[in-house]
Amino acid sequence: MNETSQLPREATAAPRRSSVGVQIGKVTVGGGAPIVVQSMTNTDTEDPASTAKQIAELARAGSELVRITVNTPAAAAAVPRIAERLAMMGVEVPIIGDFHYNGHQLLQAEPACAEALAKYRINPGNVGFGKKKDSQFGAIIEMALRYNKPVRIGANWGSLDQSMVTALMDENHTRAEPWDASHVAREALIRSALDSAAKAEEIGLPRDRIILSCKVSGVQELIAVYRDLAARCDYALHLGLTEAGMGSKGITASSAALAVLLQEGIGDTVRISLTPEPGGPRTGEVIVAQELLQTMGLRSFTPLVTACPGCGRTTSEFFQELAQTVQAHVREQMPLWRIKYDGVENLTLAVMGCIVNGPGESKHANIGISLPGNGEAPAAPVFIDGQKAMTLRGEHIAAEFVDILDHYVTTHYTSRES
């Protein structure tokens, strides 16, 4: 059996989230803080207007950190203008600069960019090559020290440090029982991150300004890599399945990998790297990350709607449309509710399609409705905190149920303004 297919540790292993807290703007990663959701723009950073607009959309969807590509002198020069636009929009989300190949040059040439960013992300596989690697890596760390910024050292399966791979392959040939190729590559990935972190500390960057990641695109490989990495360090860890893919494939793969690690207490911040549909919103990856953490009971972000899948008893699409309407209403209102009402993210809702499980599920939710299935009387009882409160009938059930929801929020959650 391939080593990456062996998952020796149980999912109930003791939590080991990093005890080291890294401050990124007003957000803390690790150190006992809640797991942080982050995302990344796909706009051209040289265009401040479109980039600031997408950052704001991601932040309003719930992204607590947003990463942007900084790959050209024009992109670096645009970063302060992006920060100014966000300030004018009232968006305070920390912005992370993603650097590859030329980060040392861009940060030194554009000090305003270096200062405006809340964190730098560098890849030890392409920060520099040959004799230039150490000096270029050191230059970025020196900039982080000058501007008091944390750094994510993010190794990636697709851009491994080839000198590290070669050295480990040579070392592997001397083993009595050589590792297989995947084990060598995994060790190169982990060693690249850990050795780079050690160098950063030698230069003077403190441990509480370092975050590590070791991303791969395979579920079992990611689990194996992070289990090993977590056992060998106490740095704050960023989780993510790189190049996860589109739609259900990307969601399933990311959730399968991250859920195992999070259940084991590994990971302090997460990103779901989804490929959006052409022209589709970037915010989908934020919603998936939130729902993953919330369904696992690790955090609460927004009221979630329990809805039955439908069967032959529920041939009407009305309950599906109502569930969709309620979920859309909640997501639309949540940016305002989050500011105004304390604890509203813990609200539970149920939209059920017939009498079989409808009343029971509705009673378990703060607000639930059991719609009539085939052959049932055209009445929809509404339950509030486990008690039947009213019955809705007629053509305006959706609007009336949304009104009940809004009234519950205003009367059951403490206003932050009071």
Side-chain angles (χ1 to χ4, degrees):
M1 181 181 290
N2 188 300
E3 281 199 35
T4 57
S5 298
Q6 299 179 31
L7 306 179
R9 293 200 288 173
E10 296 297 326
T12 54
R16 72 107 261 146
R17 291 197 173 93
S18 175
S19 62
V20 180
V22 180
Q23 200 65 35
I24 307 171
K26 296 181 179 180
V27 177
T28 303
V29 172
I35 298 166
V36 173
V37 171
Q38 60 179 281
S39 59
M40 185 174 184
T41 61
N42 61 356
T43 55
D44 183 350
T45 308
E46 294 183 13
D47 181 350
S50 63
T51 301
K53 179 176 181 290
Q54 190 174 81
I55 291 170
E57 290 170 353
L58 290 166
R60 287 167 182 154
S63 185
E64 294 158 303
L65 300 172
V66 179
R67 182 159 46 112
I68 64 174
T69 295
V70 186
N71 59 335
T72 65
V79 170
R81 301 203 298 276
I82 292 168
E84 290 171 1
R85 285 177 175 269
L86 291 170
M88 289 188 292
M89 297 163 71
V91 177
E92 297 183 352
V93 65
I95 306 304
I96 302 162
D98 193 58
F99 296 98
H100 298 274
Y101 306 106
N102 60 352
H104 61 294
Q105 296 173 333
L106 298 176
L107 288 168
Q108 290 173 334
E110 294 289 343
C113 167
E115 187 169 10
L117 293 169
K119 186 181 77 170
Y120 311 152
R121 186 267 176 162
I122 56 177
N123 184 338
N126 59 35
V127 71
F129 303 98
K131 295 179 180 178
K132 294 182 178 180
K133 178 179 178 180
D134 287 348
S135 63
Q136 292 177 185
F137 176 83
I140 296 175
I141 300 303
E142 292 287 355
M143 293 299 288
L145 286 167
R146 182 180 304 175
Y147 292 100
N148 195 29
K149 306 296 182 180
V151 175
R152 171 156 73 93
I153 298 172
N156 195 293
W157 198 260
S159 52
L160 277 173
D161 182 338
Q162 291 306 305
S163 63
M164 175 78 72
V165 174
T166 300
L168 287 175
M169 288 179 67
D170 291 342
E171 179 185 310
N172 192 47
H173 288 315
T174 67
R175 296 178 185 277
E177 296 184 9
W179 295 341
D180 63 25
S182 63
H183 193 160
V184 174
R186 188 166 75 241
E187 178 64 17
L189 193 69
I190 294 170
R191 190 88 64 85
S192 179
L194 291 177
D195 288 358
S196 297
K199 288 177 184 176
E201 288 198 65
E202 288 174 10
I203 295 169
L205 192 67
R207 184 170 290 255
D208 64 0
R209 283 194 232 155
I210 298 174
I211 295 175
L212 297 187
S213 65
C214 289
K215 290 190 174 183
V216 302
S217 56
V219 171
Q220 300 291 4
E221 287 81 7
L222 191 82
I223 294 169
V225 164
Y226 272 93
R227 281 177 170 170
D228 198 351
L229 179 63
R232 292 162 65 173
C233 74
D234 190 37
Y235 293 106
L237 300 181
H238 167 73
L239 296 187
L241 189 75
T242 191
E243 289 93 38
M246 296 183 71
S248 60
K249 185 270 178 184
I251 294 170
T252 302
S254 291
S255 299
L258 269 59
V260 171
L261 294 168
L262 291 168
Q263 185 68 18
E264 294 182 4
I266 297 172
D268 305 288
T269 176
V270 301
R271 181 192 174 205
I272 305 293
S273 299
L274 295 182
T275 304
E277 298 291 337
R282 190 69 165 176
T283 52
E285 65 179 51
V286 179
I287 294 170
V288 173
Q290 289 180 327
E291 291 181 347
L292 173 62
L293 293 174
Q294 188 155 350
T295 54
M296 292 185 69
L298 297 172
R299 285 193 67 182
S300 293
F301 296 94
T302 186
L304 294 181
V305 179
T306 297
C308 69
C311 66
R313 299 177 65 93
T314 57
T315 52
S316 169
E317 293 183 350
F318 181 70
F319 82 94
Q320 299 164 335
E321 295 167 355
L322 178 57
Q324 187 176 49
T325 296
V326 172
Q327 187 71 76
H329 180 76
V330 166
R331 291 209 172 275
E332 181 181 325
Q333 294 299 314
M334 197 57 200
L336 176 62
W337 286 351
R338 189 181 294 116
I339 295 170
K340 290 188 65 175
Y341 301 108
D342 186 34
V344 69
E345 65 275 8
N346 298 305
L347 174 66
T348 57
L349 304 166
V351 177
M352 304 302 293
C354 79
I355 198 171
V356 173
N357 292 316
E361 286 284 357
S362 296
K363 289 176 182 178
H364 287 306
N366 294 124
I367 311 172
I369 185 169
S370 180
L371 296 166
N374 294 339
E376 296 177 33
V382 174
F383 299 83
I384 298 178
D385 292 328
Q387 302 297 320
K388 183 177 177 181
M390 62 202 71
T391 300
L392 303 182
R393 295 181 173 84
E395 299 178 357
H396 305 292
I397 288 177
E400 291 172 4
F401 188 71
V402 168
D403 286 344
I404 293 167
L405 166 59
D406 288 342
H407 182 262
Y408 186 96
V409 169
T410 60
T411 56
H412 286 71
Y413 292 96
T414 304
S415 174
R416 297 182 190 273
E417 299 172 354
S418 60

